[in-house]
Amino acid sequence: MASYCGKDCETCTEREKMGCGGCGAWMEAKTWPGACGIAQCCRSKGHSSCETCTAASYCAKLKGRGQEPWYSLRRLESDANARRQLQERGRFFGKWMMLLFWLFVPGIVAGVMTSDTVADLAPNVYLAGNVLNFLCMLAYSLLLLKLAQEHDRYKIAGVCGLIAAALGLGAVLLTQVDSSGVMALLVAVLASVLDLVGEYHEMTAHSEVVLAVDAGLAETWSKLWKWTIGMLVGLIVSTFLAFILSVVGLLLMLAASVGGIVVEILKLYYLHRTARAFQLAGGTLPPAAR
């Protein structure tokens, strides 16, 4: 049987293990699905055999053709292990990422309930919103710690989230006993800083782990972090401008606030996309949803 390297494929004892039809079959099909490095080299250079290659006289691959079936089997095993690991990670991340997505939804509701307008019109709803926000942040942070099994950045994000949740609830309670509000403000600022640090590590971790299944989505997570920082800077600048140029500052503050809401919605959307990408890689996405 014709082969690229000149060996007789009929005498190869490893063909059945590799599911190899022999070079002749692949020459006729004009494709090469196997793992043979020599065959792949010939196909990529447009040669019908190694004899027509000018590098044949000193080619290390050709000289080691007797060991090529062994190397091919090792490559096939390595590829199979890589696919198996990807499926396992896909099932793991697909499950927990989807839970993050569903936890994010009540978190947005809690954000609406804790707005200044609600605080003025319905204090009881405002208080309930803070409790809901604390519970959502607590559960969300615990899920991030679960994901830390696969990536260390999730651990930092989870710890920051837990501390920020406790400080956030503490700031609300301080407003009830501290008439000046100074301590509550300091605690709230510290909680916001920790929350921001947690956001950075979470989004960076999302970007790094999803790279193996969707490079475009990984890049999107990196951009989302930059948008988050941009909206935060815009909000801080507009707040200072509001004291100098009241109308301009208030308009910029409104724009930054709307931008912040858009970023939160995008994060929710990308969490869902990331979960589905991992479910597809892990083989757990229902056929109807693919």
PDB file of all heavy atoms in Angstrom, residues 185-215:
ATOM      1  N   LEU A 185     -20.387  56.584  55.530  1.00  0.00           N
ATOM      2  CA  LEU A 185     -19.818  56.927  54.229  1.00  0.00           C
ATOM      3  C   LEU A 185     -18.453  56.279  54.038  1.00  0.00           C
ATOM      4  O   LEU A 185     -18.160  55.721  52.969  1.00  0.00           O
ATOM      5  CB  LEU A 185     -19.696  58.450  54.108  1.00  0.00           C
ATOM      6  CG  LEU A 185     -19.072  58.977  52.800  1.00  0.00           C
ATOM      7  CD1 LEU A 185     -19.926  58.540  51.608  1.00  0.00           C
ATOM      8  CD2 LEU A 185     -18.931  60.487  52.852  1.00  0.00           C
ATOM      9  N   LEU A 186     -17.609  56.322  55.075  1.00  0.00           N
ATOM     10  CA  LEU A 186     -16.281  55.721  54.981  1.00  0.00           C
ATOM     11  C   LEU A 186     -16.369  54.209  54.755  1.00  0.00           C
ATOM     12  O   LEU A 186     -15.629  53.647  53.938  1.00  0.00           O
ATOM     13  CB  LEU A 186     -15.481  56.019  56.257  1.00  0.00           C
ATOM     14  CG  LEU A 186     -15.061  57.478  56.476  1.00  0.00           C
ATOM     15  CD1 LEU A 186     -14.387  57.642  57.825  1.00  0.00           C
ATOM     16  CD2 LEU A 186     -14.148  57.950  55.355  1.00  0.00           C
ATOM     17  N   VAL A 187     -17.267  53.568  55.488  1.00  0.00           N
ATOM     18  CA  VAL A 187     -17.442  52.119  55.335  1.00  0.00           C
ATOM     19  C   VAL A 187     -17.977  51.791  53.936  1.00  0.00           C
ATOM     20  O   VAL A 187     -17.535  50.820  53.302  1.00  0.00           O
ATOM     21  CB  VAL A 187     -18.397  51.575  56.418  1.00  0.00           C
ATOM     22  CG1 VAL A 187     -18.738  50.112  56.153  1.00  0.00           C
ATOM     23  CG2 VAL A 187     -17.774  51.721  57.794  1.00  0.00           C
ATOM     24  N   ALA A 188     -18.904  52.606  53.451  1.00  0.00           N
ATOM     25  CA  ALA A 188     -19.480  52.384  52.115  1.00  0.00           C
ATOM     26  C   ALA A 188     -18.420  52.555  51.028  1.00  0.00           C
ATOM     27  O   ALA A 188     -18.390  51.794  50.048  1.00  0.00           O
ATOM     28  CB  ALA A 188     -20.635  53.341  51.877  1.00  0.00           C
ATOM     29  N   VAL A 189     -17.535  53.551  51.200  1.00  0.00           N
ATOM     30  CA  VAL A 189     -16.456  53.766  50.225  1.00  0.00           C
ATOM     31  C   VAL A 189     -15.510  52.573  50.215  1.00  0.00           C
ATOM     32  O   VAL A 189     -15.099  52.086  49.151  1.00  0.00           O
ATOM     33  CB  VAL A 189     -15.687  55.070  50.546  1.00  0.00           C
ATOM     34  CG1 VAL A 189     -14.413  55.154  49.703  1.00  0.00           C
ATOM     35  CG2 VAL A 189     -16.564  56.274  50.290  1.00  0.00           C
ATOM     36  N   LEU A 190     -15.149  52.073  51.397  1.00  0.00           N
ATOM     37  CA  LEU A 190     -14.272  50.903  51.484  1.00  0.00           C
ATOM     38  C   LEU A 190     -14.914  49.685  50.833  1.00  0.00           C
ATOM     39  O   LEU A 190     -14.255  48.915  50.116  1.00  0.00           O
ATOM     40  CB  LEU A 190     -13.951  50.610  52.950  1.00  0.00           C
ATOM     41  CG  LEU A 190     -13.024  49.412  53.219  1.00  0.00           C
ATOM     42  CD1 LEU A 190     -11.700  49.580  52.498  1.00  0.00           C
ATOM     43  CD2 LEU A 190     -12.802  49.230  54.714  1.00  0.00           C
ATOM     44  N   ALA A 191     -16.228  49.518  51.055  1.00  0.00           N
ATOM     45  CA  ALA A 191     -16.948  48.403  50.434  1.00  0.00           C
ATOM     46  C   ALA A 191     -16.931  48.528  48.914  1.00  0.00           C
ATOM     47  O   ALA A 191     -16.753  47.528  48.196  1.00  0.00           O
ATOM     48  CB  ALA A 191     -18.385  48.373  50.938  1.00  0.00           C
ATOM     49  N   SER A 192     -17.083  49.756  48.410  1.00  0.00           N
ATOM     50  CA  SER A 192     -17.070  49.981  46.961  1.00  0.00           C
ATOM     51  C   SER A 192     -15.712  49.664  46.361  1.00  0.00           C
ATOM     52  O   SER A 192     -15.622  49.089  45.267  1.00  0.00           O
ATOM     53  CB  SER A 192     -17.449  51.434  46.654  1.00  0.00           C
ATOM     54  OG  SER A 192     -18.755  51.723  47.102  1.00  0.00           O
ATOM     55  N   VAL A 193     -14.634  50.032  47.064  1.00  0.00           N
ATOM     56  CA  VAL A 193     -13.281  49.750  46.575  1.00  0.00           C
ATOM     57  C   VAL A 193     -13.051  48.238  46.504  1.00  0.00           C
ATOM     58  O   VAL A 193     -12.537  47.713  45.500  1.00  0.00           O
ATOM     59  CB  VAL A 193     -12.229  50.405  47.487  1.00  0.00           C
ATOM     60  CG1 VAL A 193     -10.823  49.937  47.108  1.00  0.00           C
ATOM     61  CG2 VAL A 193     -12.318  51.924  47.395  1.00  0.00           C
ATOM     62  N   LEU A 194     -13.443  47.530  47.552  1.00  0.00           N
ATOM     63  CA  LEU A 194     -13.283  46.071  47.560  1.00  0.00           C
ATOM     64  C   LEU A 194     -14.134  45.421  46.479  1.00  0.00           C
ATOM     65  O   LEU A 194     -13.709  44.453  45.832  1.00  0.00           O
ATOM     66  CB  LEU A 194     -13.656  45.515  48.937  1.00  0.00           C
ATOM     67  CG  LEU A 194     -12.622  45.708  50.044  1.00  0.00           C
ATOM     68  CD1 LEU A 194     -13.203  45.298  51.389  1.00  0.00           C
ATOM     69  CD2 LEU A 194     -11.361  44.908  49.745  1.00  0.00           C
ATOM     70  N   ASP A 195     -15.327  45.940  46.280  1.00  0.00           N
ATOM     71  CA  ASP A 195     -16.203  45.410  45.244  1.00  0.00           C
ATOM     72  C   ASP A 195     -15.576  45.600  43.866  1.00  0.00           C
ATOM     73  O   ASP A 195     -15.655  44.715  43.008  1.00  0.00           O
ATOM     74  CB  ASP A 195     -17.560  46.110  45.311  1.00  0.00           C
ATOM     75  CG  ASP A 195     -18.579  45.481  44.369  1.00  0.00           C
ATOM     76  OD1 ASP A 195     -18.755  44.247  44.420  1.00  0.00           O
ATOM     77  OD2 ASP A 195     -19.201  46.215  43.585  1.00  0.00           O
ATOM     78  N   LEU A 196     -14.931  46.747  43.662  1.00  0.00           N
ATOM     79  CA  LEU A 196     -14.269  47.022  42.383  1.00  0.00           C
ATOM     80  C   LEU A 196     -13.094  46.078  42.155  1.00  0.00           C
ATOM     81  O   LEU A 196     -12.894  45.569  41.049  1.00  0.00           O
ATOM     82  CB  LEU A 196     -13.802  48.474  42.351  1.00  0.00           C
ATOM     83  CG  LEU A 196     -13.264  48.980  41.009  1.00  0.00           C
ATOM     84  CD1 LEU A 196     -14.354  48.952  39.948  1.00  0.00           C
ATOM     85  CD2 LEU A 196     -12.709  50.395  41.152  1.00  0.00           C
ATOM     86  N   VAL A 197     -12.308  45.839  43.215  1.00  0.00           N
ATOM     87  CA  VAL A 197     -11.184  44.897  43.110  1.00  0.00           C
ATOM     88  C   VAL A 197     -11.705  43.496  42.774  1.00  0.00           C
ATOM     89  O   VAL A 197     -11.143  42.790  41.923  1.00  0.00           O
ATOM     90  CB  VAL A 197     -10.380  44.858  44.424  1.00  0.00           C
ATOM     91  CG1 VAL A 197      -9.327  43.748  44.381  1.00  0.00           C
ATOM     92  CG2 VAL A 197      -9.713  46.202  44.679  1.00  0.00           C
ATOM     93  N   GLY A 198     -12.802  43.118  43.426  1.00  0.00           N
ATOM     94  CA  GLY A 198     -13.408  41.821  43.137  1.00  0.00           C
ATOM     95  C   GLY A 198     -13.900  41.727  41.702  1.00  0.00           C
ATOM     96  O   GLY A 198     -13.732  40.694  41.042  1.00  0.00           O
ATOM     97  N   GLU A 199     -14.491  42.824  41.206  1.00  0.00           N
ATOM     98  CA  GLU A 199     -14.973  42.855  39.810  1.00  0.00           C
ATOM     99  C   GLU A 199     -13.817  42.632  38.843  1.00  0.00           C
ATOM    100  O   GLU A 199     -13.949  41.896  37.859  1.00  0.00           O
ATOM    101  CB  GLU A 199     -15.635  44.206  39.525  1.00  0.00           C
ATOM    102  CG  GLU A 199     -17.025  44.354  40.102  1.00  0.00           C
ATOM    103  CD  GLU A 199     -18.092  43.800  39.182  1.00  0.00           C
ATOM    104  OE1 GLU A 199     -17.797  43.515  38.010  1.00  0.00           O
ATOM    105  OE2 GLU A 199     -19.230  43.644  39.632  1.00  0.00           O
ATOM    106  N   TYR A 200     -12.687  43.289  39.123  1.00  0.00           N
ATOM    107  CA  TYR A 200     -11.527  43.140  38.243  1.00  0.00           C
ATOM    108  C   TYR A 200     -11.070  41.688  38.162  1.00  0.00           C
ATOM    109  O   TYR A 200     -10.872  41.136  37.074  1.00  0.00           O
ATOM    110  CB  TYR A 200     -10.371  44.019  38.735  1.00  0.00           C
ATOM    111  CG  TYR A 200      -9.053  43.672  38.092  1.00  0.00           C
ATOM    112  CD1 TYR A 200      -8.792  44.008  36.762  1.00  0.00           C
ATOM    113  CD2 TYR A 200      -8.066  42.979  38.800  1.00  0.00           C
ATOM    114  CE1 TYR A 200      -7.595  43.672  36.161  1.00  0.00           C
ATOM    115  CE2 TYR A 200      -6.870  42.642  38.208  1.00  0.00           C
ATOM    116  CZ  TYR A 200      -6.634  42.989  36.888  1.00  0.00           C
ATOM    117  OH  TYR A 200      -5.442  42.634  36.287  1.00  0.00           O
ATOM    118  N   HIS A 201     -10.911  41.058  39.323  1.00  0.00           N
ATOM    119  CA  HIS A 201     -10.427  39.676  39.332  1.00  0.00           C
ATOM    120  C   HIS A 201     -11.466  38.722  38.748  1.00  0.00           C
ATOM    121  O   HIS A 201     -11.107  37.748  38.080  1.00  0.00           O
ATOM    122  CB  HIS A 201     -10.063  39.262  40.760  1.00  0.00           C
ATOM    123  CG  HIS A 201      -8.769  39.854  41.229  1.00  0.00           C
ATOM    124  ND1 HIS A 201      -7.543  39.387  40.820  1.00  0.00           N
ATOM    125  CD2 HIS A 201      -8.508  40.904  42.065  1.00  0.00           C
ATOM    126  CE1 HIS A 201      -6.578  40.089  41.384  1.00  0.00           C
ATOM    127  NE2 HIS A 201      -7.140  41.019  42.147  1.00  0.00           N
ATOM    128  N   GLU A 202     -12.740  38.993  38.969  1.00  0.00           N
ATOM    129  CA  GLU A 202     -13.776  38.120  38.408  1.00  0.00           C
ATOM    130  C   GLU A 202     -13.786  38.201  36.891  1.00  0.00           C
ATOM    131  O   GLU A 202     -13.771  37.165  36.201  1.00  0.00           O
ATOM    132  CB  GLU A 202     -15.152  38.518  38.950  1.00  0.00           C
ATOM    133  CG  GLU A 202     -16.265  37.635  38.391  1.00  0.00           C
ATOM    134  CD  GLU A 202     -17.661  38.175  38.665  1.00  0.00           C
ATOM    135  OE1 GLU A 202     -17.794  39.092  39.502  1.00  0.00           O
ATOM    136  OE2 GLU A 202     -18.613  37.676  38.033  1.00  0.00           O
ATOM    137  N   MET A 203     -13.822  39.420  36.341  1.00  0.00           N
ATOM    138  CA  MET A 203     -13.876  39.573  34.880  1.00  0.00           C
ATOM    139  C   MET A 203     -12.608  39.059  34.220  1.00  0.00           C
ATOM    140  O   MET A 203     -12.662  38.457  33.135  1.00  0.00           O
ATOM    141  CB  MET A 203     -14.119  41.033  34.522  1.00  0.00           C
ATOM    142  CG  MET A 203     -15.499  41.538  34.882  1.00  0.00           C
ATOM    143  SD  MET A 203     -15.774  43.232  34.286  1.00  0.00           S
ATOM    144  CE  MET A 203     -17.404  43.558  34.980  1.00  0.00           C
ATOM    145  N   THR A 204     -11.455  39.284  34.866  1.00  0.00           N
ATOM    146  CA  THR A 204     -10.197  38.769  34.316  1.00  0.00           C
ATOM    147  C   THR A 204     -10.202  37.245  34.315  1.00  0.00           C
ATOM    148  O   THR A 204      -9.747  36.609  33.355  1.00  0.00           O
ATOM    149  CB  THR A 204      -8.998  39.292  35.128  1.00  0.00           C
ATOM    150  OG1 THR A 204      -9.015  40.720  35.145  1.00  0.00           O
ATOM    151  CG2 THR A 204      -7.690  38.828  34.525  1.00  0.00           C
ATOM    152  N   ALA A 205     -10.720  36.653  35.386  1.00  0.00           N
ATOM    153  CA  ALA A 205     -10.801  35.189  35.454  1.00  0.00           C
ATOM    154  C   ALA A 205     -11.738  34.657  34.375  1.00  0.00           C
ATOM    155  O   ALA A 205     -11.424  33.663  33.707  1.00  0.00           O
ATOM    156  CB  ALA A 205     -11.287  34.757  36.835  1.00  0.00           C
ATOM    157  N   HIS A 206     -12.893  35.307  34.187  1.00  0.00           N
ATOM    158  CA  HIS A 206     -13.821  34.896  33.130  1.00  0.00           C
ATOM    159  C   HIS A 206     -13.114  34.913  31.773  1.00  0.00           C
ATOM    160  O   HIS A 206     -13.259  33.986  30.967  1.00  0.00           O
ATOM    161  CB  HIS A 206     -15.025  35.841  33.072  1.00  0.00           C
ATOM    162  CG  HIS A 206     -15.959  35.710  34.236  1.00  0.00           C
ATOM    163  ND1 HIS A 206     -16.061  34.576  34.992  1.00  0.00           N
ATOM    164  CD2 HIS A 206     -16.863  36.594  34.759  1.00  0.00           C
ATOM    165  CE1 HIS A 206     -16.965  34.742  35.942  1.00  0.00           C
ATOM    166  NE2 HIS A 206     -17.453  35.948  35.821  1.00  0.00           N
ATOM    167  N   SER A 207     -12.353  35.990  31.541  1.00  0.00           N
ATOM    168  CA  SER A 207     -11.652  36.129  30.261  1.00  0.00           C
ATOM    169  C   SER A 207     -10.632  35.018  30.059  1.00  0.00           C
ATOM    170  O   SER A 207     -10.511  34.457  28.962  1.00  0.00           O
ATOM    171  CB  SER A 207     -10.956  37.499  30.209  1.00  0.00           C
ATOM    172  OG  SER A 207     -10.193  37.639  29.028  1.00  0.00           O
ATOM    173  N   GLU A 208      -9.918  34.664  31.113  1.00  0.00           N
ATOM    174  CA  GLU A 208      -8.850  33.672  30.995  1.00  0.00           C
ATOM    175  C   GLU A 208      -9.382  32.244  30.875  1.00  0.00           C
ATOM    176  O   GLU A 208      -8.835  31.438  30.119  1.00  0.00           O
ATOM    177  CB  GLU A 208      -7.907  33.800  32.192  1.00  0.00           C
ATOM    178  CG  GLU A 208      -7.106  35.102  32.172  1.00  0.00           C
ATOM    179  CD  GLU A 208      -6.280  35.326  33.426  1.00  0.00           C
ATOM    180  OE1 GLU A 208      -6.379  34.496  34.364  1.00  0.00           O
ATOM    181  OE2 GLU A 208      -5.538  36.329  33.495  1.00  0.00           O
ATOM    182  N   VAL A 209     -10.452  31.921  31.589  1.00  0.00           N
ATOM    183  CA  VAL A 209     -10.937  30.539  31.539  1.00  0.00           C
ATOM    184  C   VAL A 209     -11.741  30.262  30.265  1.00  0.00           C
ATOM    185  O   VAL A 209     -11.748  29.132  29.765  1.00  0.00           O
ATOM    186  CB  VAL A 209     -11.784  30.181  32.783  1.00  0.00           C
ATOM    187  CG1 VAL A 209     -10.960  30.309  34.047  1.00  0.00           C
ATOM    188  CG2 VAL A 209     -13.053  31.026  32.868  1.00  0.00           C
ATOM    189  N   VAL A 210     -12.430  31.287  29.735  1.00  0.00           N
ATOM    190  CA  VAL A 210     -13.263  31.050  28.553  1.00  0.00           C
ATOM    191  C   VAL A 210     -12.446  31.092  27.269  1.00  0.00           C
ATOM    192  O   VAL A 210     -12.948  30.730  26.194  1.00  0.00           O
ATOM    193  CB  VAL A 210     -14.412  32.082  28.489  1.00  0.00           C
ATOM    194  CG1 VAL A 210     -13.934  33.416  27.899  1.00  0.00           C
ATOM    195  CG2 VAL A 210     -15.600  31.545  27.679  1.00  0.00           C
ATOM    196  N   LEU A 211     -11.177  31.500  27.367  1.00  0.00           N
ATOM    197  CA  LEU A 211     -10.322  31.592  26.181  1.00  0.00           C
ATOM    198  C   LEU A 211     -10.213  30.259  25.452  1.00  0.00           C
ATOM    199  O   LEU A 211     -10.121  30.216  24.224  1.00  0.00           O
ATOM    200  CB  LEU A 211      -8.931  32.084  26.600  1.00  0.00           C
ATOM    201  CG  LEU A 211      -7.904  32.281  25.473  1.00  0.00           C
ATOM    202  CD1 LEU A 211      -8.382  33.346  24.494  1.00  0.00           C
ATOM    203  CD2 LEU A 211      -6.545  32.683  26.056  1.00  0.00           C
ATOM    204  N   ALA A 212     -10.246  29.162  26.202  1.00  0.00           N
ATOM    205  CA  ALA A 212     -10.092  27.832  25.594  1.00  0.00           C
ATOM    206  C   ALA A 212     -11.279  27.426  24.744  1.00  0.00           C
ATOM    207  O   ALA A 212     -11.147  26.562  23.869  1.00  0.00           O
ATOM    208  CB  ALA A 212      -9.862  26.787  26.689  1.00  0.00           C
ATOM    209  N   VAL A 213     -12.439  28.041  24.972  1.00  0.00           N
ATOM    210  CA  VAL A 213     -13.632  27.645  24.219  1.00  0.00           C
ATOM    211  C   VAL A 213     -14.157  28.750  23.318  1.00  0.00           C
ATOM    212  O   VAL A 213     -14.866  28.476  22.349  1.00  0.00           O
ATOM    213  CB  VAL A 213     -14.767  27.184  25.162  1.00  0.00           C
ATOM    214  CG1 VAL A 213     -14.350  25.931  25.910  1.00  0.00           C
ATOM    215  CG2 VAL A 213     -15.150  28.264  26.157  1.00  0.00           C
ATOM    216  N   ASP A 214     -13.823  30.028  23.608  1.00  0.00           N
ATOM    217  CA  ASP A 214     -14.320  31.133  22.791  1.00  0.00           C
ATOM    218  C   ASP A 214     -13.404  32.340  22.971  1.00  0.00           C
ATOM    219  O   ASP A 214     -13.536  33.096  23.938  1.00  0.00           O
ATOM    220  CB  ASP A 214     -15.756  31.485  23.207  1.00  0.00           C
ATOM    221  CG  ASP A 214     -16.441  32.417  22.213  1.00  0.00           C
ATOM    222  OD1 ASP A 214     -15.744  33.251  21.608  1.00  0.00           O
ATOM    223  OD2 ASP A 214     -17.674  32.330  22.055  1.00  0.00           O
ATOM    224  N   ALA A 215     -12.469  32.515  22.028  1.00  0.00           N
ATOM    225  CA  ALA A 215     -11.500  33.609  22.130  1.00  0.00           C
ATOM    226  C   ALA A 215     -12.182  34.975  22.035  1.00  0.00           C
ATOM    227  O   ALA A 215     -11.767  35.929  22.702  1.00  0.00           O
ATOM    228  CB  ALA A 215     -10.445  33.474  21.035  1.00  0.00           C
TER     229      ALA A 215
END
